[in-house]
């Protein structure tokens, strides 16, 4: 293991301190708690609050999207581990301004259980909450059981659209409906060229030969649903886009495209993959309305990428284009 760290046990807390040291004008710890990050931008009274949470190791997800026009607070746990429900409850209370709070997070067992407990505690204090779960990873479960799918990079679009809707002072139910629409129209498929190394474990999360890749890996270092020989960028794009289009009908539509790095892939390679993705979409009559290329949801230092498509209508386009200012995304 070669990493720019101090002690593995301090990995998460020191990451948090580094974020606040860099972006202290935009985000800060909640009452000094290094596991809860809140927006430093003033929130208008009566605005719906948006909270997310999850395990560390996915930067800039989730922490990087705390700020104006997106998420108001985020709680994090250890690497790939859910934060305690008390941290989630603290985040919910911190961002409630009288209109309720949307809890927007990935479809993982620990996060679901802990958010449920946090919401029960907060509703006892008369804070109204709604939950929307991202479940965009088409590799993790077939269409027949889509409710079991993992939330991965596509949650970025739910943050962006729900955050913009909240900024328009829409009601909690309306903001939740926007998040649900974004989730329903979003699909993601990924590929890993290498595993990742969790600092406290100090070893790769799975073994893979030098000439192999994992199709449909998980962002917690899980192996994919298929191991195959290494392929060209064109072939990888065909696999990822093909699986997405097999799962959801994007024909004739406008889409938001996300070509996401998993932490260890150079930006040049992501742009090559994006070129191939864009050509495939054009061939199929699908128009790319807005494209994002870069590291938006990682698995620490995993080499590989994911492709996300979100089908757009006029409302989602407006919300996607709305201004935001966070450490990881500014429009």
């Amino acid at each position: 293991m070669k990493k720019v760290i101090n002690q593995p046990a301090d990995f998460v807390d020191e990451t948090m301190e580094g974020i606040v040291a860099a972006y202290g004008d935009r985000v800060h710890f909640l009452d000094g708690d290094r596991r809860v990050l809140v927006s430093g931008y003033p929130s208008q009274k009566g605005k719906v609050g948006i909270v997310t949470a999850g395990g560390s190791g996915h930067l800039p997800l989730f922490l990087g999207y705390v700020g104006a026009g997106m998420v108001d607070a985020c709680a994090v746990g250890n690497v790939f581990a859910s934060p305690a429900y008390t941290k989630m409850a603290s985040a919910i209370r911190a961002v409630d301004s009288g209109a309720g709070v949307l809890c927007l997070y990935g479809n993982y067992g620990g996060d679901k259980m802990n958010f449920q407990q946090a919401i029960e505690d907060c509703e006892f204090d008369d804070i109204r909450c709604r939950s929307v779960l991202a479940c965009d990873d088409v590799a993790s479960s077939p269409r027949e059981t889509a409710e079991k799918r993992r939330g991965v990079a596509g949650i970025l679009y739910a943050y962006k659209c729900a955050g913009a809707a909240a900024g328009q002072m829409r009601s909690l139910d309306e903001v939740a409906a926007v998040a649900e629409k974004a989730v329903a129209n979003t699909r993601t498929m990924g590929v890993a060229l290498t595993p990742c190394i969790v600092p406290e474990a100090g070893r790769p999360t799975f073994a893979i030969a030098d000439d192999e890749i994992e199709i449909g890996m998980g962002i917690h270092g899980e192996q994919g649903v298929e191991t195959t020989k290494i392929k060209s960028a064109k072939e990888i794009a065909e696999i990822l886009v093909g699986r997405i289009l097999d799962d959801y009908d994007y024909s004739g539509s406008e889409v938001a495209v996300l070509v996401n790095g998993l932490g260890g892939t150079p930006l040049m390679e992501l742009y090559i993959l994006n070129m191939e993705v864009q050509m495939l979409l054009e061939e199929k009559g699908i128009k790319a309305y807005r494209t994002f290329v870069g590291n938006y949801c990682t698995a620490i230092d995993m080499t590989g990428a994911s492709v996300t498509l979100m089908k757009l209508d006029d409302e989602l386009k407006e919300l996607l284009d709305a201004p935001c200012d966070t450490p990881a995304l500014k429009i």
Side-chain angles (χ1 to χ4, degrees), residues 98-146:
V101 176
L102 173 66
C103 299
L104 179 54
Y105 56 99
N107 189 22
Y108 295 94
D111 295 336
K112 290 164 64 176
M113 179 180 68
N114 289 341
F115 254 121
Q116 182 178 0
Q117 180 64 61
I119 288 170
E120 288 176 2
D121 282 11
C122 290
E123 288 183 335
F124 186 78
D125 295 331
D126 295 325
I127 299 174
R128 185 172 174 233
C129 299
R130 287 283 306 271
S131 287
V132 175
L133 276 64
C135 48
D136 52 303
D137 182 9
V138 299
S140 57
S141 194
R143 272 184 293 184
E144 296 74 26
T145 53

Side-chain angles (χ1 to χ4, degrees), residues 18-73:
I19 291 171
V20 172
Y23 302 105
D25 58 331
R26 285 179 258 181
V27 294
H28 58 83
F29 296 135
L30 178 61
D31 299 326
D33 188 340
R34 291 182 294 183
R35 297 303 179 95
V36 183
L37 197 68
V38 296
S39 173
Y41 290 91
S43 179
Q44 189 172 349
K45 186 171 178 58
K47 185 189 89 69
V48 170
I50 301 179
V51 167
T52 193
S56 298
H58 306 300
L59 277 171
L61 199 71
F62 309 87
L63 300 161
Y65 305 117
V66 175
M70 292 189 77
V71 176
D72 297 297

Side-chain angles (χ1 to χ4, degrees), residues 156-317:
L156 170 71
Y157 290 143
Y159 290 157
K160 181 67 191 67
C161 295
Q168 295 175 350
M169 304 301 289
R170 300 192 195 185
S171 71
L172 177 59
D173 288 342
E174 290 170 331
V175 173
V178 164
E180 288 169 347
K181 182 197 279 192
V183 169
N185 285 281
T186 301
R187 299 291 187 276
T188 300
M189 188 75 186
V191 58
L193 281 65
T194 69
C196 59
I197 299 177
V198 177
E200 289 200 73
R203 61 182 182 276
T205 51
F206 60 83
I208 185 170
D210 288 343
D211 64 344
E212 292 179 337
I213 59 176
E214 293 281 343
I215 305 295
M217 81 301 138
I219 60 170
H220 297 108
E222 304 97 333
Q223 285 186 265
V225 295
E226 177 186 348
T227 303
T228 184
K229 293 298 181 182
I230 194 165
K231 299 183 182 300
S232 67
K234 178 179 176 63
E235 291 170 320
I236 289 173
E238 288 171 345
I239 292 170
L240 301 186
V241 173
R243 300 280 178 93
I244 290 171
L245 299 185
D246 285 346
D247 190 82
Y248 188 76
D249 184 11
Y250 288 92
S251 58
S253 63
E254 290 183 279
V255 298
V257 181
L258 171 60
V259 177
N260 169 64
L262 298 174
T265 301
L267 191 56
M268 293 176 70
E269 296 178 24
L270 296 179
Y271 279 119
I272 292 171
L273 180 60
N274 178 61
M275 175 195 69
E276 298 293 351
V277 169
Q278 299 286 343
M279 287 194 296
L280 283 171
L281 295 177
E282 186 175 354
E283 288 172 8
K284 296 181 181 299
I286 300 170
K287 181 181 178 182
Y289 173 77
R290 184 185 275 269
T291 299
F292 301 84
V293 180
N295 286 337
Y296 291 90
C297 171
T298 65
I300 308 182
D301 56 353
M302 183 181 283
T303 304
S306 64
V307 173
T308 301
L309 302 181
M310 178 173 71
K311 187 175 183 178
L312 298 171
D313 60 11
D314 289 341
E315 179 186 37
L316 290 178
K317 284 196 287 187

